[in-house]
Short mmCIF file of all heavy atoms in Angstrom, two decimals:
data_model
loop_
_atom_site.label_atom_id
_atom_site.label_comp_id
_atom_site.label_asym_id
_atom_site.label_seq_id
_atom_site.Cartn_x
_atom_site.Cartn_y
_atom_site.Cartn_z
N LYS A 158 -9.73 -1.19 7.61
CA LYS A 158 -8.58 -1.24 6.73
C LYS A 158 -7.43 -0.39 7.13
O LYS A 158 -6.27 -0.79 6.93
CB LYS A 158 -9.14 -0.61 5.35
CG LYS A 158 -9.73 -1.58 4.46
CD LYS A 158 -9.96 -1.03 3.08
CE LYS A 158 -11.16 -1.60 2.37
NZ LYS A 158 -11.75 -0.86 1.36
N VAL A 159 -7.68 0.78 7.74
CA VAL A 159 -6.56 1.71 8.05
C VAL A 159 -6.05 1.55 9.39
O VAL A 159 -4.97 2.03 9.79
CB VAL A 159 -6.92 3.17 7.81
CG1 VAL A 159 -7.37 3.43 6.43
CG2 VAL A 159 -8.05 3.63 8.81
N LYS A 160 -6.71 0.72 10.37
CA LYS A 160 -6.32 0.58 11.72
C LYS A 160 -4.87 0.16 11.90
O LYS A 160 -4.10 0.70 12.65
CB LYS A 160 -7.34 -0.37 12.43
CG LYS A 160 -7.22 -0.25 13.90
CD LYS A 160 -8.26 -1.00 14.69
CE LYS A 160 -8.06 -0.92 16.11
NZ LYS A 160 -8.26 -2.19 16.86
N PRO A 161 -4.43 -0.91 11.07
CA PRO A 161 -2.99 -1.32 11.26
C PRO A 161 -2.01 -0.17 10.99
O PRO A 161 -0.94 -0.14 11.59
CB PRO A 161 -2.91 -2.35 10.24
CG PRO A 161 -4.22 -2.92 9.99
CD PRO A 161 -5.13 -1.69 10.12
N VAL A 162 -2.37 0.76 9.99
CA VAL A 162 -1.43 1.89 9.73
C VAL A 162 -1.52 2.83 10.96
O VAL A 162 -0.47 3.25 11.42
CB VAL A 162 -1.91 2.58 8.43
CG1 VAL A 162 -1.02 3.83 8.26
CG2 VAL A 162 -1.89 1.62 7.29
N LEU A 163 -2.70 3.12 11.48
CA LEU A 163 -2.81 4.06 12.63
C LEU A 163 -2.11 3.54 13.82
O LEU A 163 -1.53 4.36 14.57
CB LEU A 163 -4.30 4.39 12.81
CG LEU A 163 -5.11 5.05 11.78
CD1 LEU A 163 -6.56 5.29 12.19
CD2 LEU A 163 -4.48 6.29 11.27
N GLU A 164 -2.15 2.20 13.96
CA GLU A 164 -1.46 1.55 15.16
C GLU A 164 0.02 1.77 15.14
O GLU A 164 0.71 1.62 16.16
CB GLU A 164 -1.90 0.06 15.27
CG GLU A 164 -3.27 -0.02 15.82
CD GLU A 164 -3.81 -1.40 15.79
OE1 GLU A 164 -3.30 -2.28 14.99
OE2 GLU A 164 -4.78 -1.76 16.55
N LYS A 165 0.62 2.19 13.98
CA LYS A 165 2.03 2.39 13.94
C LYS A 165 2.39 3.78 14.51
O LYS A 165 3.49 4.15 14.77
CB LYS A 165 2.55 2.31 12.53
CG LYS A 165 2.43 0.88 11.89
CD LYS A 165 3.23 -0.13 12.59
CE LYS A 165 3.12 -1.51 12.02
NZ LYS A 165 1.77 -2.15 12.13
N MET A 166 1.27 4.61 14.61
CA MET A 166 1.53 5.96 15.20
C MET A 166 0.88 6.15 16.55
O MET A 166 1.17 7.11 17.25
CB MET A 166 0.85 7.01 14.19
CG MET A 166 1.43 6.99 12.80
SD MET A 166 0.63 8.15 11.64
CE MET A 166 -0.80 7.25 11.15
N GLY A 167 -0.05 5.27 16.96
CA GLY A 167 -0.63 5.43 18.25
C GLY A 167 -0.79 4.16 18.96
O GLY A 167 -0.81 3.04 18.42
N SER A 168 -0.86 4.24 20.31
CA SER A 168 -1.09 3.07 21.15
C SER A 168 -2.60 2.84 21.41
O SER A 168 -2.97 1.82 21.89
CB SER A 168 -0.31 3.14 22.48
OG SER A 168 -0.66 4.42 23.10
N SER A 169 -3.40 3.88 21.22
CA SER A 169 -4.87 3.71 21.32
C SER A 169 -5.52 4.19 20.09
O SER A 169 -5.27 5.33 19.72
CB SER A 169 -5.34 4.45 22.61
OG SER A 169 -6.65 4.87 22.46
N VAL A 170 -6.26 3.44 19.39
CA VAL A 170 -6.97 3.80 18.14
C VAL A 170 -8.44 3.46 18.34
O VAL A 170 -8.77 2.18 18.32
CB VAL A 170 -6.34 3.06 16.93
CG1 VAL A 170 -6.98 3.53 15.62
CG2 VAL A 170 -4.84 3.35 16.81
N VAL A 171 -9.33 4.33 18.51
CA VAL A 171 -10.77 4.04 18.80
C VAL A 171 -11.66 4.67 17.81
O VAL A 171 -11.55 5.83 17.50
CB VAL A 171 -11.08 4.63 20.22
CG1 VAL A 171 -12.56 4.47 20.56
CG2 VAL A 171 -10.22 3.98 21.29
N LEU A 172 -12.50 3.82 17.22
CA LEU A 172 -13.66 4.35 16.33
C LEU A 172 -14.71 4.88 17.22
O LEU A 172 -15.32 4.03 17.98
CB LEU A 172 -14.06 3.16 15.38
CG LEU A 172 -15.24 3.66 14.51
CD1 LEU A 172 -14.85 4.73 13.51
CD2 LEU A 172 -15.76 2.44 13.75
N ILE A 173 -15.14 6.11 17.00
CA ILE A 173 -16.11 6.66 18.00
C ILE A 173 -17.46 6.66 17.33
O ILE A 173 -18.46 6.43 17.99
CB ILE A 173 -15.67 8.11 18.32
CG1 ILE A 173 -14.42 8.07 19.17
CG2 ILE A 173 -16.77 8.86 19.12
CD1 ILE A 173 -13.62 9.28 19.20
N GLY A 174 -17.63 6.97 16.06
CA GLY A 174 -18.86 7.07 15.38
C GLY A 174 -18.65 7.49 13.99
O GLY A 174 -17.58 7.25 13.36
N ASP A 175 -19.64 8.22 13.46
CA ASP A 175 -19.65 8.70 12.12
C ASP A 175 -18.52 9.79 11.91
O ASP A 175 -18.07 10.26 12.96
CB ASP A 175 -20.93 9.34 11.70
CG ASP A 175 -22.13 8.32 11.61
OD1 ASP A 175 -21.78 7.10 11.52
OD2 ASP A 175 -23.26 8.69 11.79
N VAL A 176 -18.23 10.12 10.69
CA VAL A 176 -17.23 11.15 10.38
C VAL A 176 -17.68 12.35 11.13
O VAL A 176 -18.76 12.75 11.23
CB VAL A 176 -17.05 11.27 8.86
CG1 VAL A 176 -18.22 12.02 8.19
CG2 VAL A 176 -15.78 12.04 8.60
N GLY A 177 -16.65 13.04 11.74
CA GLY A 177 -16.91 14.29 12.53
C GLY A 177 -16.86 14.00 14.02
O GLY A 177 -16.47 14.84 14.80
N SER A 178 -17.13 12.70 14.42
CA SER A 178 -17.10 12.35 15.85
C SER A 178 -15.73 12.23 16.39
O SER A 178 -15.53 12.47 17.55
CB SER A 178 -17.88 11.09 16.09
OG SER A 178 -17.31 9.98 15.39
N GLY A 179 -14.70 11.94 15.53
CA GLY A 179 -13.27 12.05 16.03
C GLY A 179 -13.02 13.47 16.49
O GLY A 179 -12.44 13.59 17.53
N ASN A 180 -13.25 14.45 15.68
CA ASN A 180 -13.01 15.81 16.06
C ASN A 180 -13.90 16.32 17.19
O ASN A 180 -13.47 17.22 17.98
CB ASN A 180 -13.08 16.74 14.84
CG ASN A 180 -11.74 16.82 14.18
OD1 ASN A 180 -10.78 17.25 14.82
ND2 ASN A 180 -11.71 16.44 12.88
N MET A 181 -15.10 15.71 17.37
CA MET A 181 -15.92 16.04 18.49
C MET A 181 -15.23 15.61 19.86
O MET A 181 -15.13 16.31 20.79
CB MET A 181 -17.31 15.42 18.36
CG MET A 181 -18.40 16.05 19.15
SD MET A 181 -18.56 17.81 18.75
CE MET A 181 -18.20 18.42 20.43
N ALA A 182 -14.71 14.36 19.76
CA ALA A 182 -13.95 13.85 20.95
C ALA A 182 -12.69 14.74 21.22
O ALA A 182 -12.37 15.01 22.35
CB ALA A 182 -13.51 12.44 20.67
N LYS A 183 -12.04 15.16 20.12
CA LYS A 183 -10.89 16.00 20.27
C LYS A 183 -11.18 17.37 20.90
O LYS A 183 -10.42 17.83 21.73
CB LYS A 183 -10.21 16.11 18.90
CG LYS A 183 -8.97 17.05 18.89
CD LYS A 183 -7.83 16.46 19.60
CE LYS A 183 -6.64 17.55 19.66
NZ LYS A 183 -5.50 17.03 20.42
N LEU A 184 -12.30 17.96 20.52
CA LEU A 184 -12.68 19.23 21.21
C LEU A 184 -12.87 19.00 22.73
O LEU A 184 -12.41 19.82 23.48
CB LEU A 184 -13.99 19.78 20.56
CG LEU A 184 -13.87 20.32 19.18
CD1 LEU A 184 -15.22 20.94 18.76
CD2 LEU A 184 -12.75 21.33 19.02
N ALA A 185 -13.53 17.88 23.14
CA ALA A 185 -13.71 17.59 24.54
C ALA A 185 -12.30 17.46 25.15
O ALA A 185 -12.07 17.99 26.27
CB ALA A 185 -14.48 16.25 24.70
N ASN A 186 -11.41 16.72 24.47
CA ASN A 186 -9.98 16.56 24.96
C ASN A 186 -9.34 17.85 25.17
O ASN A 186 -8.69 18.09 26.23
CB ASN A 186 -9.28 15.70 23.92
CG ASN A 186 -7.87 15.44 24.29
OD1 ASN A 186 -7.65 14.39 25.02
ND2 ASN A 186 -6.89 16.22 23.88
N GLN A 187 -9.50 18.77 24.21
CA GLN A 187 -8.74 20.09 24.30
C GLN A 187 -9.33 21.03 25.38
O GLN A 187 -8.63 21.71 25.95
CB GLN A 187 -8.91 20.79 22.93
CG GLN A 187 -8.11 20.11 21.84
CD GLN A 187 -6.63 19.84 22.28
OE1 GLN A 187 -6.29 18.90 22.92
NE2 GLN A 187 -5.73 20.74 21.91
N ILE A 188 -10.68 20.92 25.62
CA ILE A 188 -11.20 21.66 26.79
C ILE A 188 -10.61 21.13 28.09
O ILE A 188 -10.14 21.90 28.89
CB ILE A 188 -12.79 21.48 26.82
CG1 ILE A 188 -13.44 22.19 25.65
CG2 ILE A 188 -13.35 21.92 28.15
CD1 ILE A 188 -14.93 21.99 25.47
N ILE A 189 -10.58 19.83 28.22
CA ILE A 189 -10.02 19.20 29.45
C ILE A 189 -8.57 19.59 29.65
O ILE A 189 -8.16 19.96 30.77
CB ILE A 189 -10.24 17.67 29.46
CG1 ILE A 189 -11.73 17.42 29.53
CG2 ILE A 189 -9.54 16.99 30.66
CD1 ILE A 189 -12.12 15.92 29.15
N VAL A 190 -7.81 19.59 28.56
CA VAL A 190 -6.35 19.85 28.71
C VAL A 190 -6.15 21.30 29.08
O VAL A 190 -5.40 21.61 30.05
CB VAL A 190 -5.63 19.50 27.40
CG1 VAL A 190 -4.15 20.06 27.38
CG2 VAL A 190 -5.61 18.02 27.10
N ALA A 191 -6.88 22.21 28.41
CA ALA A 191 -6.73 23.66 28.69
C ALA A 191 -7.03 23.97 30.11
O ALA A 191 -6.32 24.68 30.84
CB ALA A 191 -7.55 24.43 27.75
N LEU A 192 -8.21 23.45 30.57
CA LEU A 192 -8.66 23.71 31.99
C LEU A 192 -7.70 23.08 33.00
O LEU A 192 -7.50 23.63 34.06
CB LEU A 192 -10.11 23.20 32.15
CG LEU A 192 -11.14 23.88 31.29
CD1 LEU A 192 -12.59 23.33 31.62
CD2 LEU A 192 -11.10 25.39 31.46
N ASN A 193 -7.19 21.87 32.65
CA ASN A 193 -6.23 21.27 33.50
C ASN A 193 -5.02 22.08 33.70
O ASN A 193 -4.49 22.22 34.87
CB ASN A 193 -5.99 19.85 33.00
CG ASN A 193 -5.42 18.81 34.06
OD1 ASN A 193 -4.84 19.30 35.11
ND2 ASN A 193 -5.56 17.58 33.78
N ILE A 194 -4.39 22.60 32.61
CA ILE A 194 -3.25 23.37 32.74
C ILE A 194 -3.57 24.70 33.57
O ILE A 194 -2.72 25.04 34.37
CB ILE A 194 -2.69 23.76 31.36
CG1 ILE A 194 -2.26 22.61 30.53
CG2 ILE A 194 -1.49 24.69 31.50
CD1 ILE A 194 -1.87 22.91 29.12
N ALA A 195 -4.68 25.22 33.35
CA ALA A 195 -5.12 26.42 34.09
C ALA A 195 -5.14 26.10 35.58
O ALA A 195 -4.71 26.85 36.41
CB ALA A 195 -6.37 27.00 33.60
N ALA A 196 -5.80 24.97 35.96
CA ALA A 196 -5.98 24.61 37.34
C ALA A 196 -4.66 24.36 37.97
O ALA A 196 -4.35 24.88 39.09
CB ALA A 196 -6.91 23.39 37.42
#
Side-chain angles (χ1 to χ4, degrees):
K158 272 189 210 160
V159 301
K160 195 170 178 224
V162 178
L163 298 180
E164 281 171 341
K165 300 294 180 295
M166 297 179 280
S168 52
S169 151
V170 181
V171 177
L172 177 65
I173 295 160
D175 293 340
V176 72
S178 59
N180 270 304
M181 203 54 245
K183 176 66 183 176
L184 288 187
N186 183 86
Q187 291 307 82
I188 290 172
I189 293 164
V190 170
L192 297 182
N193 199 336
I194 299 174

